[in-house]
Amino acid sequence: MSEQTLRKSAATAPAGRREAGKEERRRRIIHAAKEMIRETGSTGLSMRALAERASVSLATPYNLFGSRGAVVLAVLEDVRDFRARFAEARTGDPVDHILAVVDLGVDYYLADPAFYTTLWREVFNVSGEVRSAIYNPRRDEFWLGLVNDIAAAGLLREDVDTRQLLRQLDHQFRSVMLDWVAGDLCAISLGPTIKLGYALILCGAASEPARARLEARVARCQAELNNAEERKAREA
């Protein structure tokens, strides 16, 4: 190894260790923030308490993120690996695909309800940063792609505007999430309720050749919701 290479390695090693240490502190802060959001039911984190939980100095969260809001947004970025799982949920039928994506999303929410109910409360706070972080153009384009796949398969009438159709699906989704966050809808009924709403809306936009196919999805989703409600009644 040449002397120049040795000098270069000696110079880059400390920098690499510094970056690794910075990334480790960043991960600790994000993990601590997620725990605190879950425990307190609020995204209004105390930076002092956050630093203590993450075992870093008070200045570190500010140095790495800049503000409390930026920490919360980093937590959201950290949990967005479900986008990759959504992409893998593809089935041969585009309607089944969008319903499978709903199931995957609901599975995430129900696996950590204390965390996600807090985030959704912030979504319904129209002035909050969390709302704009969750509902953003990248997210809209992902869901629009799913709706466009349904249209491309000839399952929708030609006069249906897919962006407006997506907006109606979103309205239905958010209203169901509000009921869940408010405690008016039990966890077992969350996914089936969203999927039945989607199936009914898509059925209303169905092309004539696809109507029977979409009606079958409505019947299936309705049966799933009925089964969920019956199960809940038995457990009560």
Side-chain angles (χ1 to χ4, degrees):
M1 185 178 294
S2 69
E3 183 177 345
Q4 183 179 4
T5 302
L6 287 171
R7 284 200 301 270
K8 185 176 180 181
S9 298
T12 57
R17 286 195 293 271
R18 283 195 298 272
E19 287 303 313
K22 185 185 295 184
E23 182 58 27
E24 171 60 22
R25 290 190 293 275
R26 184 181 184 278
R27 283 196 298 267
R28 292 211 308 268
I29 291 167
I30 290 174
H31 178 73
K34 188 173 182 180
E35 286 186 333
M36 290 172 65
I37 289 170
R38 184 186 297 117
E39 292 168 7
T40 65
S42 171
T43 59
L45 304 174
S46 159
M47 292 294 264
R48 184 175 298 279
L50 177 61
E52 291 176 358
R53 175 70 69 94
S55 299
V56 298
S57 70
L58 177 58
T60 300
Y62 291 102
N63 292 337
L64 293 180
F65 297 94
S67 69
R68 180 178 62 192
V71 174
V72 175
L73 297 185
V75 171
L76 288 176
E77 286 295 336
D78 197 53
V79 301
R80 278 184 183 152
D81 66 294
F82 57 65
R83 288 187 186 278
R85 288 181 58 191
F86 281 4
E88 294 170 0
R90 185 169 298 280
T91 66
D93 186 291
V95 175
D96 286 343
H97 183 210
I98 199 169
L99 297 179
V101 169
V102 170
D103 274 334
L104 278 176
V106 169
D107 285 347
Y108 259 85
Y109 301 149
L110 298 184
D112 195 352
F115 177 71
Y116 283 105
T117 53
T118 299
L119 292 188
W120 274 96
R121 286 191 198 100
E122 291 297 317
V123 168
F124 298 126
N125 174 7
V126 296
S127 62
E129 290 179 296
V130 173
R131 179 184 178 86
S132 60
I134 291 180
Y135 281 90
N136 58 68
R138 186 173 61 173
R139 176 259 176 206
D140 290 345
E141 288 304 312
F142 172 82
W143 283 94
L144 182 61
L146 300 182
V147 176
N148 283 338
D149 286 345
I150 297 172
L155 303 181
L156 303 178
R157 298 194 313 274
E158 291 185 0
D159 64 325
V160 171
D161 183 326
T162 54
R163 286 191 179 273
Q164 293 296 341
L165 178 58
L166 174 60
R167 189 169 296 175
Q168 298 309 310
L169 294 173
D170 271 347
H171 290 329
Q172 193 271 346
F173 182 87
R174 277 179 271 192
S175 68
V176 176
M177 292 303 297
L178 178 58
D179 280 352
W180 178 60
V181 170
D184 295 331
L185 184 70
C186 66
I188 195 174
S189 296
L190 179 58
T193 300
I194 296 171
K195 290 192 294 182
L196 177 57
Y198 272 37
L200 286 166
I201 292 170
L202 292 171
C203 189
S207 62
E208 194 58 38
R211 185 166 300 280
R213 188 170 168 183
L214 270 296
E215 287 174 348
R217 297 304 188 287
V218 170
R220 189 178 71 189
C221 292
Q222 187 169 265
E224 184 178 349
L225 180 56
N226 286 337
N227 289 337
E229 291 177 346
E230 289 171 5
R231 177 181 163 190
K232 177 65 177 178
R234 289 196 300 270
E235 293 174 353

